[in-house]
Amino acid sequence: MSRIAKRFAKLKAENRAALVTFITAGDPDHATSQALLDGMPAAGADIIELGMPFTDPMADGPAIQLAAGRALAAGGSLRQTLEMVEAFRKTDAETPIILMGYYNPVYAWGAEKFAADAAKAGVDGLIIVDLPPEEADELVPFLRQAGIDFIVLTTPTSDDARLPVVLANASGFVYYVSIAGITGTASAAQSAIDEAVARIRRHTGLPVCVGFGIKDPAQAAEVARVADGAVVGSAIVSVLADNIGKPGAVSAPLALVKDLAAGVRGARN
């Protein structure tokens, strides 16, 4: 059983959803980003998404675009991202780590070699925002061979006809993008999220996590009542940005993660 499957089985036994946290690898520099990554599990993150810094993150809003820019300016790279995961695994063998980003760097690395190198570093899942389901076969077989889950994105526009195509290669969990837009901007109505999660579950037995637009513990708790996980990225990245160069560069984002975790853990009580 994969680390992701083990984590969702554990959470199901505890009758609670996952808190899935996102940061960009190398933001604002390698040391700060590594310290933040390493501190996430103790703060309450159940699953961690690590953004692969990229020059044209077209699905991301200003907060994560700026984070990618800071990481690249500080020397961030795909290689450094894998090195961060490898360092994390020296102290944490249980928390699933998912890389999230765009296909160009993976394609340039070579799909087969990237899958093998990511697995060796300790990566459990991969989200490629701009790889259409119809072209996923050039990557997914290598991920399966390496034991890495391919986590797909569904959106409010993924209707019942489209969902089977989107979910064809899915494993690990399904990431529901709750707004038709970029990260960290608008928030979806809870009723729309409830309906979408129920509809996705009619098409798959995989856990369904919801992200894009979740900014605080109350929103995370609302999502955690109906979904298998709440994904928070821009809010954490924004707190980090507000504290760059200050003593709270690591502690302030981790304090938010702790608050979010409390919201998620109390959602079904």
Side-chain angles (χ1 to χ4, degrees):
M1 184 182 288
S2 72
R3 261 191 288 259
I4 293 175
K6 285 181 182 176
R7 180 54 51 103
F8 278 110
K10 178 175 181 289
L11 294 171
K12 185 176 181 180
E14 297 173 1
N15 187 33
R16 70 175 181 88
L19 173 63
V20 185
T21 58
F22 172 95
I23 58 171
T24 298
D27 172 36
D29 57 70
H30 180 82
T32 302
S33 190
Q34 185 75 57
L36 188 51
L37 173 65
D38 293 347
M40 287 276 187
D46 298 298
I47 297 172
I48 301 171
E49 287 183 15
L50 193 57
M52 299 180 282
F54 184 56
T55 51
D56 301 289
M58 74 284 283
D60 292 306
I64 296 178
Q65 287 184 26
L66 290 169
R70 290 191 296 267
L72 291 168
S77 65
L78 188 51
R79 183 175 302 282
Q80 185 189 80
T81 303
L82 295 181
E83 289 172 354
M84 286 182 63
V85 178
E86 194 171 356
F88 176 86
R89 285 282 170 244
K90 291 179 180 177
T91 58
D92 190 314
E94 297 182 355
T95 305
I97 289 192
I98 296 154
L99 299 187
M100 182 173 185
Y102 300 84
Y103 192 46
N104 189 293
V106 173
Y107 178 81
W109 193 286
E112 183 174 14
K113 187 174 189 307
F114 175 79
D117 290 346
K120 184 179 179 183
V123 171
D124 303 293
L126 187 66
I127 300 172
I128 298 295
V129 175
D130 56 350
L131 182 63
E134 290 82 356
E135 299 177 25
D137 283 346
E138 65 180 76
L139 173 62
V140 169
F142 300 122
L143 296 180
R144 287 179 179 149
Q145 186 177 358
I148 294 176
D149 284 316
F150 184 63
I151 296 154
V152 302
L153 302 174
T154 70
T155 72
T157 60
S158 305
D159 60 19
D160 285 325
R162 179 65 175 164
L163 274 173
V165 178
V166 174
L167 296 171
N169 285 306
S171 61
F173 65 87
V174 177
Y175 187 137
Y176 175 62
V177 175
S178 62
I179 58 171
I182 54 177
T183 59
T185 52
S187 298
Q190 187 59 40
S191 59
I193 292 174
D194 296 351
E195 182 180 341
V197 170
R199 187 162 57 84
I200 294 167
R201 283 185 170 146
R202 290 197 289 271
H203 289 268
T204 180
L206 291 171
V208 181
C209 296
V210 177
F212 282 45
I214 301 173
K215 299 174 181 176
D216 56 46
Q219 285 180 309
E222 284 295 313
V223 168
R225 290 190 182 97
V226 296
D228 299 292
V231 187
V232 185
S234 294
I236 297 169
V237 170
S238 294
V239 171
L240 168 61
D242 290 342
N243 286 277
I244 291 174
K246 302 176 183 177
V250 174
S251 60
L254 291 181
L256 175 58
V257 171
K258 187 175 181 180
D259 290 342
L260 291 164
V264 168
R265 282 164 171 74
R268 298 180 188 173
N269 292 336

